[in-house]
Amino acid sequence: MNGDSPISIRNLSVLYGDHLALKDVSLDIPAKRITSIIGPSGCGKTTLLKSLNRLLDTDDGVRVRGQVLLDGEDIYAPRTEVTRIRRKMGLLSQRPQVLPMSIYDNVAYGPRIHGLRSRKELNERVERYLRLAGLWDEVEGRLREPASLLSVGQQQRLCLARGLAVEPEIILGDEPTSALDPQSSQNVERRLLELKRDYTVIVVTHILRQARRIADHIAFLYLGELVEQGPAAEVFAAPKDPRTRAYLTGEIS
Amino acid sequence: MRLLKDALARRAMAVIAALPGLLVLFIVIGLFLRSKAILGVEPLSRFLFSSAWSPMKGEFGLLPFIAGTMWVTLTALALAVPVSILTAIYLSEYAPRWARRAAQPVIDLLAGLPSVVYGAWGVILVVPFVGNVLAPLAGVYSSGYSILAGGIILAIMTFPTIIHVTLEVFASVPRALREASLSLGATKWETTRHVVLRKGAQGILAASVLGFSRALGETMAVLMVVGNVPSVPRSLFDPGYPLPALIANNYGEMMSIPRYDAALMMAALVLMLIVLAFNVLARGILIRVERKVR
């Protein structure tokens, strides 16, 4: 579609059994910006995020209607290869999920799966993305240690490096700082702000202040509906919908 | 008053908790005392490494029985472990939820079936199958009453245990961890192999140990299909005579023969020590695996 929007969501509805989790959502995600999906818990933020890389597929009894266009290609088309779609996006989950292997192998996992064998290239990639995630200096001498020995904050940055190592275009964050202490949260936020130079970032958050700090673009979901979206400055300064205003002032949460 | 009760309860529970440990000790001591009668006569190695078994002449070589036990158990595990793990992988990662729900009670039911039932089924089905189909395929003659038949029956009996425990292990692997791997573009199989299996390695090993321990001591079903010939088996199609079968078949009938009783006690002691040694070994492996992946 247009070059400014790597992801276009068109009339997307998601049903869990009889429960309509997303109602007819349409949204263009701007390229090389941080888009924050905000809204009270249970409003469908995570569902929307997981619909973007088809992680919804792993749930039983989910039905998806509508389209998600990734660089113009409908990812829900029957022919689409799901592993290729997922590879274009790195995911940061609520709690860092390190794989049960060494720090090095965590980062090398993705590239290896996609067929990279050369030791030298793997080493380069591991170093490059650990640096980009701001973790290299802390783990340089202990790459062979189990990743589970890292602190939670370090683990989350390792997950970031792991996601970056498959060289995606988009970074998805599902409340990526919710398990972290303030300092680590700040660290992750700083990384995201740096990364938006090269990547399109989409972050689900229930922390309004976080959205204010990092978001360029806001999408406000309420009860499965996309109530309002637009540039962050506009949405925060002058929300158009009364529900958005109510949420921003803390009347609904 | 309440503090006194608390103290009493603590003592009482400590004693009760210590009982199982002491029991192991008592069993070993008891068996040892009863088998001492025979130990005085000949050196221990004669019993363990001699294959001469003729109680009438006073020869009690246990080697055929030890070998029989090991053969049957190892055959069973070689069959049971891979099949169980693949079944558990399918049920936990690939099968739709209704299939998983339907399979679980059936698996648990299988675990609870009396072993004579398995034995009888083995005699009418597995023994002829081994004798008439597998042996000719391998180009040997076999009556069907063989190590292989015993191994197959044992494998079938240990499936449910291993599958059940392995399923629980897989269920304990967080979904978000699978998603982390999937989100990198890994396929389901890659995710299962590199993440789920690795994360669950310890538990799977524990499940296999549980299965192994059961297989080592299983008596009835094996006894019915294994042939019970006291010689060291040389192939899977040979009959064998595992330790539990020896004890079950002969205990109570050997009163007239001197030292037979002691020899059987010795057999029980050896069986017990094999199980113990195996458990210690497994624990050692478990600890090492734990250190390596987490």
Side-chain angles (χ1 to χ4, degrees), chain B residues 129-142:
Chain B
F129 178 67
V130 171
N132 302 332
V133 181
L134 292 183
L137 270 180
V140 292
Y141 169 79
S142 167

Side-chain angles (χ1 to χ4, degrees), chain A residues 190-208:
Chain A
R190 244 196 335 260
R191 294 297 143 200
L192 293 177
L193 286 169
E194 274 172 31
L195 288 169
K196 76 173 180 182
R197 259 181 301 157
D198 302 304
Y199 300 86
T200 301
V201 182
I202 304 170
V203 179
V204 162
T205 180
H206 65 284
I207 312 166
L208 265 178

Side-chain angles (χ1 to χ4, degrees), chain B residues 49-287:
Chain B
F49 302 114
S50 155
S51 52
W53 177 263
S54 38
M56 299 300 195
K57 286 190 253 165
E59 292 177 336
F60 299 102
L62 288 179
L63 186 64
F65 309 98
I66 295 172
T69 294
M70 296 316 277
W71 271 82
V72 170
T73 306
L74 289 175
T75 309
L77 269 145
L79 294 172
V81 170
V83 175
S84 305
I85 292 176
L86 289 176
T87 308
I89 288 177
Y90 176 74
L91 284 176
S92 119
E93 309 296 315
Y94 291 88
R97 198 159 29 160
W98 62 264
R100 188 156 56 238
R101 285 222 184 116
Q104 236 154 5
V106 177
I107 290 168
D108 292 347
L109 177 77
L110 284 177
L113 278 188
S115 62
V116 223
V117 176
Y118 282 103
W121 181 75
V123 171
I124 57 171
L125 222 89
V126 178
V127 169
F129 178 67
V130 171
N132 302 332
V133 181
L134 292 183
L137 270 180
V140 292
Y141 169 79
S142 167
S143 67
Y145 289 94
S146 57
I147 295 288
L148 185 58
I152 291 174
I153 284 293
L154 259 189
I156 292 171
M157 292 179 70
T158 47
F159 283 152
T161 315
I162 303 183
I163 293 175
H164 183 110
V165 179
T166 308
L167 274 178
E168 305 220 322
V169 169
F170 287 163
S172 74
V173 176
R175 213 185 122 136
L177 187 63
R178 292 186 177 87
E179 288 180 353
S181 166
L182 290 173
S183 76
L184 295 168
T187 61
K188 216 164 195 177
W189 172 240
E190 286 161 344
T191 301
T192 304
R193 211 166 71 108
H194 299 299
V195 179
V196 180
L197 276 182
R198 209 189 265 236
K199 190 87 179 168
Q202 235 190 93
I204 295 168
L205 199 67
S208 307
V209 171
L210 215 62
F212 205 100
S213 297
R214 174 161 192 204
L216 273 173
E218 179 48 49
T219 310
M220 201 58 212
V222 181
L223 177 155
M224 289 168 77
V225 301
V226 82
N228 301 332
V229 175
S231 64
V232 177
R234 251 159 298 152
S235 98
L236 286 177
F237 294 100
D238 283 350
Y241 206 162
L243 286 164
L246 169 76
I247 301 163
N249 270 341
N250 296 301
Y251 199 83
E253 296 175 10
M254 70 299 165
M255 297 315 178
S256 56
I257 305 170
R259 297 205 303 268
Y260 203 153
D261 173 87
L264 288 185
M265 288 303 148
M266 182 76 183
L269 184 62
V270 168
L271 180 60
M272 169 111 192
L273 292 179
I274 291 176
V275 174
L276 251 138
F278 176 72
N279 269 283
V280 170
L281 190 77
R283 186 130 307 260
I285 298 173
L286 226 69
I287 290 169

